[in-house]
Amino acid sequence: ISHYRDVVYSLKEHNLEPVITLHHFTNPAWFSRLGGWLNKDAHKYFLRYTETIVDALSDSVHYWVTINEPMVYIYNCYIKGLWPPQERSFPKAKQATDNLISAHIKAYKLIHGIYKKKGLPNPAVSIAKNMQPFEACSSTFRNNLSVYLRDRAFNYNFLNKLVHAHSLDFIGLNYYSRTLVDTRGWAVKNLFLDTCEKGHSKLSKNYLGWDIYPQGLYKMLMGLKKFRLPVFILENGICTEDDLERWDFIRAHLQELHRAMQEGVPVLGYLYWSLIDNFEWDKGFAPRFGLIQVDYNTYRRTPRQSADRFAQVCKSGILE
């Protein structure tokens, strides 16, 4: 906590606004041994943790993100079984999702209560919601049904419940790519998991093979207009060895962001992912997302040209 207080104070000294995420995929080992997010009391442990952290940092933090990409977490932990606890179970996926929703709603009320008790201005609390366009590989009834179901389940179900509970001050949006849907059967797993394996997408791809699709950011932002809440792009970025491609990615997405703003989407801000090259979960250190290059042998950090170009946009508010 002392370390993060130093980080927050340093950010403020450099005229940077801290945005703190409380849960970003990893769990304490003791929490995992108790069942993690399947435990019916998971929210109690999360609230105890939230109270400790928020109480320590509330004097210098306005923006709080309770949970990062809950549906990405559920998908990789309980549908695909790639991340701990590496299970494949739709019932467990639903149970964990319900517990995450409950944890956020209760944490939202707790955080606001802490600020009120301390006489501080109201904080802004949300989640970081990964969203992506689901698009049919070919316009068949089954593909179109699959697109509808996935869009509802992955993009909107979690948000709908939080909005209904009046537990979002803004919508935190993470956007990277799209999914091309090509269902090969009528089973639930087909409708929710099948993707195009025939190479029909002609879009450029990042290092991990994700389609580069700036228009998707515009589509997602326009879809969020109905909630009448400010939108904060908390993550948007590309892993690539080609820094010119990185700048092209940023510029194209900022153009789509501007287009959505011109059409009435209230945008609070835009954060590129990531400041420095990072550990990308089950993909390791190979994908390079950073505006700043990290030499993992010496830990030397070198700003890339894209960092300078992005900095100019941030300083001037002008996109050439």
Side-chain angles (χ1 to χ4, degrees):
I1 292 174
S2 177
H3 166 74
Y4 282 106
R5 285 181 69 88
D6 290 343
V7 171
V8 166
Y9 293 152
S10 180
L11 288 168
K12 301 288 276 191
E13 286 172 11
H14 289 85
N15 200 30
L16 290 165
E17 185 72 32
V19 182
I20 295 190
T21 299
L22 292 167
H23 183 271
H24 193 132
F25 298 157
T26 53
N27 297 317
W30 62 263
F31 181 70
S32 296
R33 285 193 292 270
L34 292 174
W37 288 103
L38 295 176
N39 189 317
K40 63 180 175 56
D41 291 326
H43 67 276
K44 295 180 181 178
Y45 301 116
F46 185 67
L47 289 179
R48 187 175 66 183
Y49 155 69
T50 297
E51 183 172 19
T52 301
I53 301 302
V54 174
D55 183 59
L57 302 178
S58 54
D59 59 339
S60 299
V61 177
H62 177 67
Y63 291 102
W64 291 95
V65 177
T66 56
I67 298 160
N68 176 76
E69 298 187 344
M71 296 313 297
V72 173
Y73 176 79
I74 294 297
Y75 177 78
N76 284 295
C77 294
Y78 298 105
I79 302 295
K80 294 293 284 185
L82 295 171
W83 300 352
Q86 296 180 304
E87 298 196 40
R88 295 183 182 182
S89 166
F90 279 106
K92 287 185 178 180
K94 185 183 185 307
Q95 184 180 345
T97 300
D98 290 344
N99 286 341
L100 285 167
I101 289 170
S102 173
H104 167 82
I105 293 170
K106 288 178 167 62
Y108 175 90
K109 294 175 182 175
L110 174 66
I111 294 168
H112 274 269
I114 291 171
Y115 276 68
K116 185 175 182 179
K117 185 177 180 181
K118 289 187 170 187
L120 297 169
N122 282 335
V125 184
S126 186
I127 61 168
K129 182 69 187 75
N130 179 285
M131 299 184 75
Q132 57 179 292
F134 295 94
E135 301 187 347
C137 187
S138 58
S139 187
T140 65
F141 176 77
R142 190 165 63 194
N143 279 350
N144 291 334
L145 174 63
S146 178
V147 165
Y148 169 78
L149 292 173
R150 292 189 211 196
D151 187 47
R152 185 173 174 179
F154 183 85
N155 286 331
Y156 288 105
N157 179 55
F158 208 98
L159 280 179
N160 286 335
K161 292 188 176 179
L162 301 193
V163 169
H164 182 73
H166 304 288
S167 64
L168 293 176
D169 298 313
F170 64 96
I171 294 175
L173 170 63
N174 292 3
Y175 175 77
Y176 289 94
S177 184
R178 71 169 183 177
T179 291
L180 205 54
V181 174
D182 186 21
T183 51
R184 295 177 288 280
W186 287 101
V188 172
K189 66 177 183 179
N190 295 115
L191 291 171
F192 280 95
L193 299 177
D194 285 355
T195 58
C196 178
E197 297 178 352
K198 300 169 186 173
H200 288 156
S201 174
K202 303 305 177 187
L203 298 177
S204 299
K205 300 181 187 301
N206 70 10
Y207 176 88
L208 292 173
W210 305 347
D211 281 348
I212 298 173
Y213 189 49
Q215 302 94 315
L217 177 58
Y218 170 82
K219 289 182 179 181
M220 294 297 97
L221 286 168
M222 296 304 291
L224 292 174
K225 274 185 78 172
K226 64 183 180 183
F227 293 120
R228 300 175 183 248
L229 286 168
V231 182
F232 197 156
I233 290 86
L234 297 174
E235 289 185 26
N236 174 240
I238 182 174
C239 51
T240 178
E241 299 288 345
D242 181 355
D243 194 49
L244 289 176
E245 185 178 40
R246 178 174 290 103
W247 172 244
D248 286 343
F249 179 98
I250 295 171
R251 180 174 55 196
H253 283 78
L254 288 177
Q255 287 170 340
E256 295 296 330
L257 173 60
H258 180 255
R259 183 156 71 108
M261 291 169 68
Q262 293 291 96
E263 296 188 30
V265 179
V267 174
L268 283 173
Y270 170 95
L271 304 180
Y272 175 81
W273 182 274
S274 175
L275 176 66
I276 64 173
D277 288 333
N278 62 293
F279 176 76
E280 191 57 30
W281 307 106
D282 58 310
K283 307 295 190 299
F285 288 104
R288 298 283 184 156
F289 277 96
L291 293 168
I292 296 171
Q293 179 182 354
V294 178
D295 183 326
Y296 291 120
N297 293 314
T298 64
Y299 299 108
R300 180 181 175 84
R301 300 177 182 188
T302 308
R304 294 183 166 109
Q305 191 176 20
S306 57
D308 294 329
R309 290 179 168 182
F310 183 49
Q312 287 304 312
V313 177
C314 294
K315 290 172 184 174
S316 68
I318 297 170
L319 184 65
E320 294 292 348

